């Protein structure tokens, strides 16, 4: 469903945002996500009010985090999977996180061009977002964007992360299942998966298992099974599964999705899914508390008065960073002057 007048760019009221999102209006959903991503303090109150109204209409989607090293074929896999799901009557939202430049903040945001067939489907919504320096392979408001997509009626939400590594574990704090894509002959990428995702990965799919790469894919799958067997799989009584697939040839993609559904069904039956989502909400709460405290600290008059002096003292070597931090907290009344 689309908005009656998608070109209209006047500010929307809270009711208009709510009704548009609930109706599945793509233009309103896009504007709502832009609203919650905004760093403008004037937008924060409306964004929070919108999320509060929409929360009762969330929670009905299968949430899947998809990670993997560059070149593993994440976009190709997501497009193949998304087209299969839409053909089966599902509505699919893709939150694609693109890396940002640490200098300019710029980002390619090219996932719509990498998934042209999926982007053209009425039952699909693809939202590319710049990571903008956020660690964990996700963006600043990925969790909130996921909830908006659920409220808009999407029953599958795929979160495509920036890459793979230790920080990628954050995606497990907002999804029901973490799927890691690997390449044949993974080498160092296999080591990255072992270091960073053993404790959170639920399913591993060795992509590009076709043609001349098939033997190498089978070897890589065996290595991954051995690595996962020696890891800690207490988070999932089923243990992580390793499968082969070829997104390019559209083979094995359905089996990967079947494994995702089996994982989620088992987690729901045992109560693990409820516990996982509850823990995610607790993490979200304290993440926002930390964020608000940091913002309040930097905006505090006492800190602003000290900033130039304290920064100069540190950069000139007259004061250690730890001592300077103590003085900031002392100015806020959060540290006892006689504690040292």
């Amino acid at each position: 469903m689309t908005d009656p007048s998608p070109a209209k760019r006047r500010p929307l009221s809270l009711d208009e945002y709510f009704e548009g999102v609930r109706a599945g209006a793509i233009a309103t959903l896009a504007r709502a996500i832009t609203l919650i991503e905004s760093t403008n303090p004037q937008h924060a109150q409306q964004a929070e009010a919108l999320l509060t109204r929409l929360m009762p209409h969330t929670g009905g989607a299968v949430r899947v985090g998809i990670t993997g090293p560059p070149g593993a074929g994440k976009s190709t896999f997501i497009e193949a999977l998304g087209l299969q799901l839409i053909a089966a009557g599902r509505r699919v939202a893709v939150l694609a996180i693109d890396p940002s430049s640490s200098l300019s903040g710029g980002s390619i945001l090219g996932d719509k061009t990498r998934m042209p067939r999926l982007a053209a489907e009425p039952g699909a919504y693809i939202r590319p977002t710049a990571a903008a320096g956020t660690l964990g392979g996700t963006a600043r408001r990925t969790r909130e964007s996921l909830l908006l997509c659920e409220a808009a009626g999407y029953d599958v939400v795929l979160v495509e992360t920036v890459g793979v590594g230790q920080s990628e574990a954050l995606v497990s704090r907002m999804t029901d299942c973490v799927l890691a894509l690997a390449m044949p002959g993974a080498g160092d990428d296999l080591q990255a998966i072992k270091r960073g995702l053993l404790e959170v990965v639920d399913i591993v799919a060795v992509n590009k298992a076709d043609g001349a790469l098939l033997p190498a894919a089978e070897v890589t799958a065996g290595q991954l099974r051995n690595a996962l067997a020696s890891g800690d799989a207490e988070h999932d009584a089923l243990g992580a599964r390793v499968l082969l697939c070829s997104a390019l040839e559209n083979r094995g993609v359905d089996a990967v999705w079947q494994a995702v559904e089996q994982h989620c069904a088992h987690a729901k039956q045992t109560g693990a899914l409820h516990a996982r989502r509850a823990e995610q909400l607790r993490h979200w709460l304290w993440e926002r508390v930390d964020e608000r405290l940091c913002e309040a600290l930097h905006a505090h008059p006492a800190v602003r008065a000290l900033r130039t002096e304290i920064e100069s003292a540190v950069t000139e070597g007259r004061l250690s960073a730890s001592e300077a931090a103590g003085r900031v907290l002392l100015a806020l009344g959060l540290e006892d002057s006689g504690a040292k």
Side-chain angles (χ1 to χ4, degrees):
M1 182 180 298
T2 58
D3 289 316
S5 51
K8 186 184 290 185
R9 301 305 298 173
R10 65 173 178 78
L12 299 181
S13 68
L14 179 62
D15 286 341
E16 287 174 318
Y17 271 121
F18 176 82
E19 292 166 4
V21 170
R22 288 295 296 138
I26 295 295
T28 305
L29 173 60
R31 292 183 66 177
I33 293 178
T34 298
L35 178 73
I36 66 167
E37 289 178 342
S38 173
T39 56
N40 185 337
Q42 296 180 352
H43 297 159
Q45 187 174 1
Q46 189 178 32
E48 290 171 3
L50 177 61
L51 277 170
T52 298
R53 285 188 63 177
L54 289 173
M55 282 299 291
H57 305 284
T58 66
V62 178
R63 308 167 178 175
V64 183
I66 300 179
T67 185
K74 293 191 293 292
S75 296
T76 304
F77 176 86
I78 290 172
E79 180 169 61
L81 174 61
L83 290 171
Q84 286 190 13
L85 292 172
I86 287 173
R90 310 295 289 268
R91 297 189 70 213
V92 181
V94 179
L95 302 176
I97 316 304
D98 275 349
S100 304
S101 167
S102 59
L103 299 178
S104 68
S107 178
I108 297 174
L109 300 179
D111 283 273
K112 283 191 175 183
T113 62
R114 292 195 293 267
M115 308 179 208
R117 291 186 297 154
L118 184 59
E121 287 288 337
Y125 175 65
I126 301 175
R127 175 76 179 203
T129 303
T134 303
L135 297 178
T138 59
R140 180 172 173 268
R141 290 289 182 261
T142 302
R143 183 182 287 102
E144 289 85 340
S145 299
L146 184 154
L147 294 172
L148 288 180
C149 290
E150 288 186 335
Y154 292 94
D155 54 2
V156 175
V157 181
L158 307 176
V159 181
E160 179 191 2
T161 71
V162 169
V164 68
Q166 186 69 36
S167 64
E168 295 292 312
L170 186 59
V171 75
S172 70
R173 295 177 180 171
M174 61 185 73
T175 57
D176 304 328
C177 179
V178 177
L179 166 64
L181 294 183
M183 295 184 292
D188 292 339
D189 296 327
L190 171 61
Q191 298 304 316
I193 291 174
K194 289 169 63 178
R195 288 194 304 270
L197 289 176
L198 275 180
E199 70 276 17
V200 296
V201 67
D202 301 299
I203 298 165
V204 181
V206 182
N207 194 20
K208 303 186 179 182
D210 50 53
L213 290 176
L214 181 57
E218 292 173 339
V219 171
T220 298
Q223 292 173 335
L224 284 165
R225 290 188 186 101
N226 291 336
L228 291 167
S230 63
D232 179 9
E234 290 182 1
H235 69 285
D236 183 356
L238 290 177
R241 302 182 182 185
V242 179
L243 302 96
L244 294 172
C245 71
S246 169
L248 186 62
E249 296 184 355
N250 203 18
R251 287 190 296 102
V253 176
D254 54 343
V256 174
W257 181 250
Q258 184 179 16
V260 169
E261 289 192 311
Q262 289 175 350
H263 166 82
C264 293
H266 181 269
K268 185 175 182 179
Q269 182 181 9
T270 61
L273 180 61
H274 175 77
R276 181 169 180 157
R277 288 193 173 187
E279 179 58 30
Q280 289 170 350
L281 290 172
R282 281 191 290 271
H283 176 79
W284 184 24
L285 163 64
W286 292 109
E287 184 181 86
R288 290 294 164 263
V289 169
D290 290 345
E291 181 182 281
R292 295 287 185 85
L293 284 174
C294 189
E295 291 172 351
L297 183 148
H298 285 282
H300 196 282
V303 175
R304 295 174 66 180
L306 274 176
R307 181 183 296 275
T308 301
E309 174 190 346
I310 215 87
E311 287 181 352
S312 296
V314 171
T315 57
E316 294 170 6
R318 293 183 285 108
L319 197 64
S320 72
S322 296
E323 179 75 14
R327 292 191 185 182
V328 171
L329 295 179
L330 181 62
L332 292 170
L334 298 176
E335 187 162 299
D336 187 350
S337 60
K340 296 184 179 181

